[in-house]
Amino acid sequence: MRLWTADEIAEATGGTASAAFEASGVTFDSREVGQGDLFLALKGEATDGHRYLDQAFAQGAAGALVSEPTPHPHVRVADTVLALDALGVAARGRMQGQVIGVTGSAGKTGTKEALFAALDRNAPGAAHRSVKSYNNHTGVPLSLARMPRTARYGVFEMGMNHAGELAALTRLVRPHVAIVTTIAPAHLGFFASEEAIADAKGEIFQGLEPGGAAIVPFDSPHRDRLIDAARPYAGKIVTFGLKEGADYRAVETMRTRTGATFVTARFGQRELSFTLSQPGAHWVSNAMAILAAVDAVGGDLELAGLALAELGGLAGRGARRMVPARGGEALLIDESYNANPASMRATLEVLALEKGRKLAVLGEMRELGVHSAAFHAELSGPIEAAGVDYAILVGEAMLPLAEALEGRVDFVHVPDAATALGRLDDMLQAGDAVLIKGSNGVRLGSVVAALAERAPA
């Protein structure tokens, strides 16, 4: 499918095309270049995409966006990073469908993926979303640039760790619906308080299209702050959550034999009952935000419910699989992509629901600043409440938690992911349930990958 022509790229970016070409995809990672892609030769602090032009065309690139001379078919601009923004703006400008933006301290990617599944059910093949966690100053415009002009729905995740970042991203995305999933002390090392984080997340509403909808977590202590942030920009403000008073509320939940959750949701005079494949109260809450967003864009909520029932686990964000263990198999819960105090508590509550011996491989939580020691120590309560039988604590910042757990829960404190894997190998038995979670920089994904490689296909 034609996504961009050379002339369209040149018009969007103010560049000059060397030759006619058509691109069916867009990427700035030379390792991901496929047949017919537009390769963006971005310059950064650590690398320069122009070094990989020959590799990109050897892999089938149709053209490139460059700021330096090259013999390959290209559009040349003064600055490829600014040109990527311009390409994203052009993609958003030609799209005639409806766009949803998602942010929050936790649950962004899962909510984005579930929304995409729900909207793809409504319009098969006509929904688009940002892939992976492409939610920053390069990932968002790239995701926009990849959006087909015929898309009926677009769902974009937006992240930040400094004030002002979301304001810029949301003005690129220009959502018709903007969601804040939750506010928690993620990136607190960059902010003076949790209230400041709420203010930064509330920037997402500044990009709302006229008459757009703001979707706010009712159960959050920062609810009113977020509503105040949305009021100047939103045509409609709705809330979601588990407590009475939320506009989209889960009024009844019941765990099924398979570990899924049967949910009855109420919104206005309507009710919807559906099965949510993902376990945990945090997923129930996010499901209410998903229903609110689908409703706001005029989607079919029953189809959304079917999508939520069939939603698979996301790698690094709740995916489940059986892995070999001494005497048989053990359940692996993969939450290895990232962690903050709120998401740690939520996933420990999920582990608590499992049968058998409960193991937790927990990596340190980063970017918490001067509050780091306190937040790590405070995890001792949720670990004990979850009935964790043995914890493997990974990283230097876990020392306060190790001290808090002394005499309460069996644990070992190790320096890195490789050592954690060795410890886990020594003790993993048939029937165990093991949760693996930590900040991405701890690289606990390598532990997950090592266990998964041993499992039969």
Side-chain angles (χ1 to χ4, degrees), residues 314-335:
L314 305 176
R317 296 177 175 85
R320 293 167 165 243
R321 66 179 302 160
M322 303 305 294
V323 297
R326 192 175 297 107
E329 290 185 319
L331 171 65
L332 170 64
I333 305 172
D334 175 16
E335 286 278 358

PDB file of all heavy atoms in Angstrom, residues 314-335:
ATOM      1  N   LEU A 314       0.873  -8.787  26.698  1.00  0.00           N
ATOM      2  CA  LEU A 314       1.893  -8.025  25.993  1.00  0.00           C
ATOM      3  C   LEU A 314       3.261  -8.352  26.560  1.00  0.00           C
ATOM      4  O   LEU A 314       3.443  -8.373  27.784  1.00  0.00           O
ATOM      5  CB  LEU A 314       1.620  -6.526  26.142  1.00  0.00           C
ATOM      6  CG  LEU A 314       0.232  -6.034  25.718  1.00  0.00           C
ATOM      7  CD1 LEU A 314       0.098  -4.556  26.024  1.00  0.00           C
ATOM      8  CD2 LEU A 314       0.010  -6.296  24.244  1.00  0.00           C
ATOM      9  N   ALA A 315       4.218  -8.583  25.674  1.00  0.00           N
ATOM     10  CA  ALA A 315       5.572  -8.895  26.128  1.00  0.00           C
ATOM     11  C   ALA A 315       6.086  -7.772  27.018  1.00  0.00           C
ATOM     12  O   ALA A 315       6.049  -6.603  26.653  1.00  0.00           O
ATOM     13  CB  ALA A 315       6.487  -9.081  24.923  1.00  0.00           C
ATOM     14  N   GLY A 316       6.550  -8.137  28.193  1.00  0.00           N
ATOM     15  CA  GLY A 316       7.065  -7.156  29.136  1.00  0.00           C
ATOM     16  C   GLY A 316       6.011  -6.450  29.946  1.00  0.00           C
ATOM     17  O   GLY A 316       6.324  -5.706  30.876  1.00  0.00           O
ATOM     18  N   ARG A 317       4.747  -6.694  29.613  1.00  0.00           N
ATOM     19  CA  ARG A 317       3.649  -5.980  30.280  1.00  0.00           C
ATOM     20  C   ARG A 317       2.489  -6.924  30.596  1.00  0.00           C
ATOM     21  O   ARG A 317       1.355  -6.649  30.299  1.00  0.00           O
ATOM     22  CB  ARG A 317       3.155  -4.828  29.408  1.00  0.00           C
ATOM     23  CG  ARG A 317       4.200  -3.751  29.171  1.00  0.00           C
ATOM     24  CD  ARG A 317       3.651  -2.690  28.255  1.00  0.00           C
ATOM     25  NE  ARG A 317       4.560  -1.573  28.091  1.00  0.00           N
ATOM     26  CZ  ARG A 317       5.557  -1.543  27.200  1.00  0.00           C
ATOM     27  NH1 ARG A 317       5.755  -2.572  26.404  1.00  0.00           N
ATOM     28  NH2 ARG A 317       6.339  -0.496  27.113  1.00  0.00           N
ATOM     29  N   GLY A 318       2.818  -8.044  31.178  1.00  0.00           N
ATOM     30  CA  GLY A 318       1.774  -8.947  31.632  1.00  0.00           C
ATOM     31  C   GLY A 318       1.627 -10.227  30.845  1.00  0.00           C
ATOM     32  O   GLY A 318       0.747 -11.036  31.161  1.00  0.00           O
ATOM     33  N   ALA A 319       2.463 -10.434  29.820  1.00  0.00           N
ATOM     34  CA  ALA A 319       2.375 -11.686  29.064  1.00  0.00           C
ATOM     35  C   ALA A 319       2.634 -12.874  29.993  1.00  0.00           C
ATOM     36  O   ALA A 319       3.480 -12.811  30.887  1.00  0.00           O
ATOM     37  CB  ALA A 319       3.376 -11.674  27.913  1.00  0.00           C
ATOM     38  N   ARG A 320       1.907 -13.952  29.755  1.00  0.00           N
ATOM     39  CA  ARG A 320       2.027 -15.152  30.586  1.00  0.00           C
ATOM     40  C   ARG A 320       2.405 -16.344  29.713  1.00  0.00           C
ATOM     41  O   ARG A 320       1.903 -16.471  28.606  1.00  0.00           O
ATOM     42  CB  ARG A 320       0.689 -15.458  31.277  1.00  0.00           C
ATOM     43  CG  ARG A 320       0.302 -14.426  32.308  1.00  0.00           C
ATOM     44  CD  ARG A 320      -1.146 -14.590  32.738  1.00  0.00           C
ATOM     45  NE  ARG A 320      -1.355 -13.832  33.962  1.00  0.00           N
ATOM     46  CZ  ARG A 320      -1.696 -14.351  35.124  1.00  0.00           C
ATOM     47  NH1 ARG A 320      -1.905 -15.645  35.230  1.00  0.00           N
ATOM     48  NH2 ARG A 320      -1.838 -13.600  36.193  1.00  0.00           N
ATOM     49  N   ARG A 321       3.258 -17.183  30.252  1.00  0.00           N
ATOM     50  CA  ARG A 321       3.586 -18.409  29.538  1.00  0.00           C
ATOM     51  C   ARG A 321       4.129 -19.431  30.527  1.00  0.00           C
ATOM     52  O   ARG A 321       4.625 -19.076  31.605  1.00  0.00           O
ATOM     53  CB  ARG A 321       4.603 -18.144  28.436  1.00  0.00           C
ATOM     54  CG  ARG A 321       5.966 -17.720  28.900  1.00  0.00           C
ATOM     55  CD  ARG A 321       6.885 -17.506  27.710  1.00  0.00           C
ATOM     56  NE  ARG A 321       6.989 -18.706  26.894  1.00  0.00           N
ATOM     57  CZ  ARG A 321       7.395 -18.711  25.630  1.00  0.00           C
ATOM     58  NH1 ARG A 321       7.708 -17.569  25.041  1.00  0.00           N
ATOM     59  NH2 ARG A 321       7.473 -19.834  24.944  1.00  0.00           N
ATOM     60  N   MET A 322       4.011 -20.686  30.145  1.00  0.00           N
ATOM     61  CA  MET A 322       4.579 -21.746  30.955  1.00  0.00           C
ATOM     62  C   MET A 322       6.024 -21.977  30.512  1.00  0.00           C
ATOM     63  O   MET A 322       6.320 -21.981  29.319  1.00  0.00           O
ATOM     64  CB  MET A 322       3.765 -23.030  30.806  1.00  0.00           C
ATOM     65  CG  MET A 322       2.295 -22.881  31.172  1.00  0.00           C
ATOM     66  SD  MET A 322       2.002 -22.226  32.846  1.00  0.00           S
ATOM     67  CE  MET A 322       2.660 -23.571  33.856  1.00  0.00           C
ATOM     68  N   VAL A 323       6.898 -22.126  31.490  1.00  0.00           N
ATOM     69  CA  VAL A 323       8.315 -22.350  31.204  1.00  0.00           C
ATOM     70  C   VAL A 323       8.786 -23.589  31.953  1.00  0.00           C
ATOM     71  O   VAL A 323       8.208 -23.972  32.985  1.00  0.00           O
ATOM     72  CB  VAL A 323       9.165 -21.126  31.598  1.00  0.00           C
ATOM     73  CG1 VAL A 323       8.768 -19.913  30.781  1.00  0.00           C
ATOM     74  CG2 VAL A 323       9.045 -20.832  33.094  1.00  0.00           C
ATOM     75  N   PRO A 324       9.830 -24.253  31.437  1.00  0.00           N
ATOM     76  CA  PRO A 324      10.335 -25.451  32.117  1.00  0.00           C
ATOM     77  C   PRO A 324      10.811 -25.144  33.527  1.00  0.00           C
ATOM     78  O   PRO A 324      11.421 -24.104  33.795  1.00  0.00           O
ATOM     79  CB  PRO A 324      11.506 -25.896  31.219  1.00  0.00           C
ATOM     80  CG  PRO A 324      11.229 -25.293  29.887  1.00  0.00           C
ATOM     81  CD  PRO A 324      10.554 -23.986  30.179  1.00  0.00           C
ATOM     82  N   ALA A 325      10.531 -26.059  34.436  1.00  0.00           N
ATOM     83  CA  ALA A 325      10.977 -25.942  35.823  1.00  0.00           C
ATOM     84  C   ALA A 325      11.281 -27.346  36.325  1.00  0.00           C
ATOM     85  O   ALA A 325      10.904 -28.341  35.692  1.00  0.00           O
ATOM     86  CB  ALA A 325       9.900 -25.277  36.684  1.00  0.00           C
ATOM     87  N   ARG A 326      11.956 -27.428  37.438  1.00  0.00           N
ATOM     88  CA  ARG A 326      12.291 -28.722  37.998  1.00  0.00           C
ATOM     89  C   ARG A 326      11.016 -29.518  38.297  1.00  0.00           C
ATOM     90  O   ARG A 326      10.171 -29.069  39.060  1.00  0.00           O
ATOM     91  CB  ARG A 326      13.113 -28.545  39.280  1.00  0.00           C
ATOM     92  CG  ARG A 326      13.756 -29.824  39.803  1.00  0.00           C
ATOM     93  CD  ARG A 326      14.656 -29.537  40.993  1.00  0.00           C
ATOM     94  NE  ARG A 326      15.771 -28.674  40.611  1.00  0.00           N
ATOM     95  CZ  ARG A 326      15.866 -27.392  40.943  1.00  0.00           C
ATOM     96  NH1 ARG A 326      14.912 -26.815  41.657  1.00  0.00           N
ATOM     97  NH2 ARG A 326      16.910 -26.674  40.580  1.00  0.00           N
ATOM     98  N   GLY A 327      10.861 -30.643  37.632  1.00  0.00           N
ATOM     99  CA  GLY A 327       9.695 -31.490  37.846  1.00  0.00           C
ATOM    100  C   GLY A 327       8.507 -31.179  36.972  1.00  0.00           C
ATOM    101  O   GLY A 327       7.459 -31.816  37.107  1.00  0.00           O
ATOM    102  N   GLY A 328       8.641 -30.203  36.064  1.00  0.00           N
ATOM    103  CA  GLY A 328       7.506 -29.876  35.195  1.00  0.00           C
ATOM    104  C   GLY A 328       7.575 -28.461  34.655  1.00  0.00           C
ATOM    105  O   GLY A 328       8.592 -28.060  34.085  1.00  0.00           O
ATOM    106  N   GLU A 329       6.512 -27.678  34.880  1.00  0.00           N
ATOM    107  CA  GLU A 329       6.445 -26.329  34.350  1.00  0.00           C
ATOM    108  C   GLU A 329       6.029 -25.337  35.431  1.00  0.00           C
ATOM    109  O   GLU A 329       5.355 -25.697  36.396  1.00  0.00           O
ATOM    110  CB  GLU A 329       5.445 -26.248  33.193  1.00  0.00           C
ATOM    111  CG  GLU A 329       5.882 -26.951  31.926  1.00  0.00           C
ATOM    112  CD  GLU A 329       4.900 -26.709  30.798  1.00  0.00           C
ATOM    113  OE1 GLU A 329       3.677 -26.740  31.066  1.00  0.00           O
ATOM    114  OE2 GLU A 329       5.342 -26.493  29.659  1.00  0.00           O
ATOM    115  N   ALA A 330       6.424 -24.085  35.224  1.00  0.00           N
ATOM    116  CA  ALA A 330       6.037 -22.989  36.117  1.00  0.00           C
ATOM    117  C   ALA A 330       5.420 -21.876  35.287  1.00  0.00           C
ATOM    118  O   ALA A 330       5.683 -21.753  34.089  1.00  0.00           O
ATOM    119  CB  ALA A 330       7.247 -22.460  36.879  1.00  0.00           C
ATOM    120  N   LEU A 331       4.577 -21.076  35.932  1.00  0.00           N
ATOM    121  CA  LEU A 331       3.960 -19.933  35.273  1.00  0.00           C
ATOM    122  C   LEU A 331       4.882 -18.728  35.365  1.00  0.00           C
ATOM    123  O   LEU A 331       5.307 -18.341  36.455  1.00  0.00           O
ATOM    124  CB  LEU A 331       2.614 -19.596  35.929  1.00  0.00           C
ATOM    125  CG  LEU A 331       1.942 -18.283  35.467  1.00  0.00           C
ATOM    126  CD1 LEU A 331       1.553 -18.367  33.999  1.00  0.00           C
ATOM    127  CD2 LEU A 331       0.724 -17.963  36.331  1.00  0.00           C
ATOM    128  N   LEU A 332       5.170 -18.118  34.211  1.00  0.00           N
ATOM    129  CA  LEU A 332       5.968 -16.901  34.161  1.00  0.00           C
ATOM    130  C   LEU A 332       5.065 -15.719  33.827  1.00  0.00           C
ATOM    131  O   LEU A 332       4.361 -15.741  32.819  1.00  0.00           O
ATOM    132  CB  LEU A 332       7.057 -17.029  33.095  1.00  0.00           C
ATOM    133  CG  LEU A 332       7.836 -15.755  32.738  1.00  0.00           C
ATOM    134  CD1 LEU A 332       8.630 -15.265  33.937  1.00  0.00           C
ATOM    135  CD2 LEU A 332       8.751 -15.996  31.551  1.00  0.00           C
ATOM    136  N   ILE A 333       5.067 -14.698  34.668  1.00  0.00           N
ATOM    137  CA  ILE A 333       4.333 -13.459  34.427  1.00  0.00           C
ATOM    138  C   ILE A 333       5.364 -12.396  34.073  1.00  0.00           C
ATOM    139  O   ILE A 333       6.159 -11.971  34.922  1.00  0.00           O
ATOM    140  CB  ILE A 333       3.514 -13.036  35.660  1.00  0.00           C
ATOM    141  CG1 ILE A 333       2.575 -14.158  36.106  1.00  0.00           C
ATOM    142  CG2 ILE A 333       2.718 -11.765  35.359  1.00  0.00           C
ATOM    143  CD1 ILE A 333       1.866 -13.891  37.421  1.00  0.00           C
ATOM    144  N   ASP A 334       5.369 -11.986  32.824  1.00  0.00           N
ATOM    145  CA  ASP A 334       6.398 -11.083  32.308  1.00  0.00           C
ATOM    146  C   ASP A 334       5.956  -9.633  32.410  1.00  0.00           C
ATOM    147  O   ASP A 334       5.177  -9.145  31.604  1.00  0.00           O
ATOM    148  CB  ASP A 334       6.705 -11.455  30.851  1.00  0.00           C
ATOM    149  CG  ASP A 334       7.683 -10.490  30.196  1.00  0.00           C
ATOM    150  OD1 ASP A 334       8.358  -9.733  30.926  1.00  0.00           O
ATOM    151  OD2 ASP A 334       7.774 -10.499  28.953  1.00  0.00           O
ATOM    152  N   GLU A 335       6.473  -8.938  33.408  1.00  0.00           N
ATOM    153  CA  GLU A 335       6.242  -7.502  33.588  1.00  0.00           C
ATOM    154  C   GLU A 335       7.582  -6.771  33.561  1.00  0.00           C
ATOM    155  O   GLU A 335       7.786  -5.780  34.259  1.00  0.00           O
ATOM    156  CB  GLU A 335       5.529  -7.253  34.924  1.00  0.00           C
ATOM    157  CG  GLU A 335       4.064  -7.639  34.939  1.00  0.00           C
ATOM    158  CD  GLU A 335       3.159  -6.565  34.344  1.00  0.00           C
ATOM    159  OE1 GLU A 335       3.687  -5.506  33.955  1.00  0.00           O
ATOM    160  OE2 GLU A 335       1.943  -6.797  34.274  1.00  0.00           O
TER     161      GLU A 335
END
